[in-house]
Amino acid sequence: MKIDGRLQRSLKTKEKLLKAAEKVFIEQGYQNTTIKEINKEANIGHGTFYIHFPEGKDEILTHLMNNVMDEFYSIADIEFTPNSKENAFEVIREQVFHFISLAEKYKKMLMIFYEGIGVSSLLKEKWEDILNKFIDRIVKDIRYSQDQSLAKKQINPEVASRILLYSGERFLWEIVTDKNKLPISEIADNLTHVYMFGLYKGPND
């Protein structure tokens, strides 16, 4: 489908603003970034910004969050159809490893999100929506494992999904804020082991 000239210009302007905003956020931090600075970087008039992002800098940051989180979602969307506990462990461990590894890849932008989530209700709500998407997918995977008699049926998928996600999220923010000292592979191994097998030995272990 052919895009008319006016729409094409509008899309180019929006993309220009997004690239400018990413650069300014990374250079200035969330608190110090202003719409004036973004407009200056994009070489675009003040009123044009609000045509595309009427709620201001928080709205443009949510768009940048979407761009970053698309890669995170691709991990959650990996097909999960294990035929054994060993196979399930391999898939989950790989997902956890890549999820946490992306903290290094997108460290600068995630730091901006971290700052923004602490002060903006819009960004906090957006982050909660992101986490809920992950929870829904993990719940689906757990139920599949329970249906295949690979996971204990008495475990509540809603609770188990949050244990895994919030543990991974904690390590993600520790990496972003330079508080983590552990290798990502070690984190992924331990999170997956505890998630799948628990901490304490059973009578047959």
mmCIF file of all heavy atoms in Angstrom, residues 86-101:
data_model
loop_
_atom_site.group_PDB
_atom_site.id
_atom_site.type_symbol
_atom_site.label_atom_id
_atom_site.label_comp_id
_atom_site.label_asym_id
_atom_site.label_seq_id
_atom_site.Cartn_x
_atom_site.Cartn_y
_atom_site.Cartn_z
ATOM 1 N N GLU A 86 14.365 -32.303 31.558
ATOM 2 C CA GLU A 86 15.690 -31.859 31.114
ATOM 3 C C GLU A 86 15.566 -30.846 29.973
ATOM 4 O O GLU A 86 16.270 -29.830 29.949
ATOM 5 C CB GLU A 86 16.525 -33.059 30.651
ATOM 6 C CG GLU A 86 16.940 -34.020 31.760
ATOM 7 C CD GLU A 86 15.784 -34.924 32.240
ATOM 8 O OE1 GLU A 86 14.796 -35.072 31.478
ATOM 9 O OE2 GLU A 86 15.891 -35.458 33.354
ATOM 10 N N ASN A 87 14.673 -31.131 29.055
ATOM 11 C CA ASN A 87 14.436 -30.225 27.931
ATOM 12 C C ASN A 87 13.848 -28.902 28.425
ATOM 13 O O ASN A 87 14.238 -27.819 27.962
ATOM 14 C CB ASN A 87 13.493 -30.904 26.936
ATOM 15 C CG ASN A 87 13.255 -30.077 25.689
ATOM 16 O OD1 ASN A 87 12.178 -30.138 25.093
ATOM 17 N ND2 ASN A 87 14.232 -29.285 25.267
ATOM 18 N N ALA A 88 12.929 -28.980 29.377
ATOM 19 C CA ALA A 88 12.328 -27.770 29.958
ATOM 20 C C ALA A 88 13.394 -26.915 30.629
ATOM 21 O O ALA A 88 13.417 -25.687 30.480
ATOM 22 C CB ALA A 88 11.249 -28.149 30.966
ATOM 23 N N PHE A 89 14.299 -27.574 31.359
ATOM 24 C CA PHE A 89 15.375 -26.846 32.036
ATOM 25 C C PHE A 89 16.234 -26.093 31.022
ATOM 26 O O PHE A 89 16.575 -24.918 31.221
ATOM 27 C CB PHE A 89 16.247 -27.804 32.841
ATOM 28 C CG PHE A 89 17.383 -27.128 33.564
ATOM 29 C CD1 PHE A 89 17.204 -26.635 34.847
ATOM 30 C CD2 PHE A 89 18.614 -26.962 32.942
ATOM 31 C CE1 PHE A 89 18.245 -25.987 35.503
ATOM 32 C CE2 PHE A 89 19.655 -26.314 33.596
ATOM 33 C CZ PHE A 89 19.470 -25.829 34.879
ATOM 34 N N GLU A 90 16.600 -26.760 29.930
ATOM 35 C CA GLU A 90 17.447 -26.142 28.909
ATOM 36 C C GLU A 90 16.796 -24.897 28.321
ATOM 37 O O GLU A 90 17.436 -23.860 28.152
ATOM 38 C CB GLU A 90 17.737 -27.147 27.789
ATOM 39 C CG GLU A 90 18.665 -28.289 28.199
ATOM 40 C CD GLU A 90 18.766 -29.345 27.117
ATOM 41 O OE1 GLU A 90 18.176 -29.138 26.023
ATOM 42 O OE2 GLU A 90 19.419 -30.377 27.358
ATOM 43 N N VAL A 91 15.495 -25.005 27.997
ATOM 44 C CA VAL A 91 14.781 -23.879 27.379
ATOM 45 C C VAL A 91 14.649 -22.717 28.357
ATOM 46 O O VAL A 91 14.919 -21.562 28.019
ATOM 47 C CB VAL A 91 13.391 -24.312 26.878
ATOM 48 C CG1 VAL A 91 12.623 -23.104 26.336
ATOM 49 C CG2 VAL A 91 13.512 -25.388 25.820
ATOM 50 N N ILE A 92 14.235 -23.026 29.600
ATOM 51 C CA ILE A 92 14.035 -21.978 30.594
ATOM 52 C C ILE A 92 15.356 -21.300 30.939
ATOM 53 O O ILE A 92 15.440 -20.074 31.042
ATOM 54 C CB ILE A 92 13.373 -22.550 31.871
ATOM 55 C CG1 ILE A 92 11.955 -23.018 31.549
ATOM 56 C CG2 ILE A 92 13.341 -21.498 32.987
ATOM 57 C CD1 ILE A 92 11.314 -23.839 32.652
ATOM 58 N N ARG A 93 16.398 -22.114 31.083
ATOM 59 C CA ARG A 93 17.712 -21.548 31.413
ATOM 60 C C ARG A 93 18.172 -20.601 30.310
ATOM 61 O O ARG A 93 18.714 -19.526 30.578
ATOM 62 C CB ARG A 93 18.716 -22.690 31.588
ATOM 63 C CG ARG A 93 20.030 -22.272 32.257
ATOM 64 C CD ARG A 93 21.062 -21.883 31.240
ATOM 65 N NE ARG A 93 22.313 -21.467 31.850
ATOM 66 C CZ ARG A 93 23.242 -20.757 31.220
ATOM 67 N NH1 ARG A 93 23.052 -20.384 29.962
ATOM 68 N NH2 ARG A 93 24.343 -20.403 31.833
ATOM 69 N N GLU A 94 17.937 -20.985 29.053
ATOM 70 C CA GLU A 94 18.313 -20.147 27.923
ATOM 71 C C GLU A 94 17.514 -18.839 27.925
ATOM 72 O O GLU A 94 18.058 -17.765 27.646
ATOM 73 C CB GLU A 94 18.070 -20.911 26.614
ATOM 74 C CG GLU A 94 18.721 -20.303 25.390
ATOM 75 C CD GLU A 94 20.239 -20.430 25.375
ATOM 76 O OE1 GLU A 94 20.804 -21.137 26.230
ATOM 77 O OE2 GLU A 94 20.851 -19.790 24.509
ATOM 78 N N GLN A 95 16.227 -18.925 28.236
ATOM 79 C CA GLN A 95 15.388 -17.731 28.291
ATOM 80 C C GLN A 95 15.845 -16.787 29.403
ATOM 81 O O GLN A 95 15.944 -15.571 29.194
ATOM 82 C CB GLN A 95 13.926 -18.121 28.518
ATOM 83 C CG GLN A 95 13.259 -18.748 27.306
ATOM 84 C CD GLN A 95 11.844 -19.192 27.605
ATOM 85 O OE1 GLN A 95 11.574 -19.817 28.626
ATOM 86 N NE2 GLN A 95 10.927 -18.862 26.721
ATOM 87 N N VAL A 96 16.118 -17.339 30.575
ATOM 88 C CA VAL A 96 16.569 -16.527 31.702
ATOM 89 C C VAL A 96 17.904 -15.856 31.375
ATOM 90 O O VAL A 96 18.103 -14.667 31.641
ATOM 91 C CB VAL A 96 16.703 -17.381 32.986
ATOM 92 C CG1 VAL A 96 17.366 -16.587 34.114
ATOM 93 C CG2 VAL A 96 15.331 -17.871 33.440
ATOM 94 N N PHE A 97 18.815 -16.636 30.791
ATOM 95 C CA PHE A 97 20.134 -16.102 30.443
ATOM 96 C C PHE A 97 20.014 -14.925 29.471
ATOM 97 O O PHE A 97 20.632 -13.877 29.673
ATOM 98 C CB PHE A 97 21.005 -17.202 29.821
ATOM 99 C CG PHE A 97 22.366 -16.728 29.395
ATOM 100 C CD1 PHE A 97 23.397 -16.621 30.326
ATOM 101 C CD2 PHE A 97 22.612 -16.371 28.073
ATOM 102 C CE1 PHE A 97 24.663 -16.167 29.939
ATOM 103 C CE2 PHE A 97 23.867 -15.920 27.686
ATOM 104 C CZ PHE A 97 24.893 -15.818 28.624
ATOM 105 N N HIS A 98 19.215 -15.074 28.435
ATOM 106 C CA HIS A 98 19.091 -14.018 27.434
ATOM 107 C C HIS A 98 18.345 -12.812 28.000
ATOM 108 O O HIS A 98 18.676 -11.662 27.678
ATOM 109 C CB HIS A 98 18.396 -14.540 26.175
ATOM 110 C CG HIS A 98 19.283 -15.390 25.319
ATOM 111 N ND1 HIS A 98 20.466 -14.927 24.783
ATOM 112 C CD2 HIS A 98 19.182 -16.680 24.915
ATOM 113 C CE1 HIS A 98 21.047 -15.877 24.083
ATOM 114 N NE2 HIS A 98 20.285 -16.956 24.152
ATOM 115 N N PHE A 99 17.343 -13.056 28.841
ATOM 116 C CA PHE A 99 16.598 -11.959 29.469
ATOM 117 C C PHE A 99 17.548 -11.068 30.266
ATOM 118 O O PHE A 99 17.549 -9.840 30.118
ATOM 119 C CB PHE A 99 15.507 -12.530 30.385
ATOM 120 C CG PHE A 99 14.707 -11.484 31.123
ATOM 121 C CD1 PHE A 99 13.582 -10.921 30.543
ATOM 122 C CD2 PHE A 99 15.066 -11.069 32.394
ATOM 123 C CE1 PHE A 99 12.832 -9.958 31.211
ATOM 124 C CE2 PHE A 99 14.330 -10.110 33.080
ATOM 125 C CZ PHE A 99 13.218 -9.556 32.477
ATOM 126 N N ILE A 100 18.376 -11.692 31.103
ATOM 127 C CA ILE A 100 19.288 -10.922 31.947
ATOM 128 C C ILE A 100 20.420 -10.313 31.114
ATOM 129 O O ILE A 100 20.876 -9.198 31.376
ATOM 130 C CB ILE A 100 19.844 -11.801 33.083
ATOM 131 C CG1 ILE A 100 18.690 -12.296 33.971
ATOM 132 C CG2 ILE A 100 20.841 -11.021 33.941
ATOM 133 C CD1 ILE A 100 19.101 -13.302 35.021
ATOM 134 N N SER A 101 20.859 -11.025 30.071
ATOM 135 C CA SER A 101 21.926 -10.512 29.206
ATOM 136 C C SER A 101 21.528 -9.209 28.507
ATOM 137 O O SER A 101 22.374 -8.344 28.250
ATOM 138 C CB SER A 101 22.297 -11.547 28.143
ATOM 139 O OG SER A 101 22.869 -12.692 28.727
#
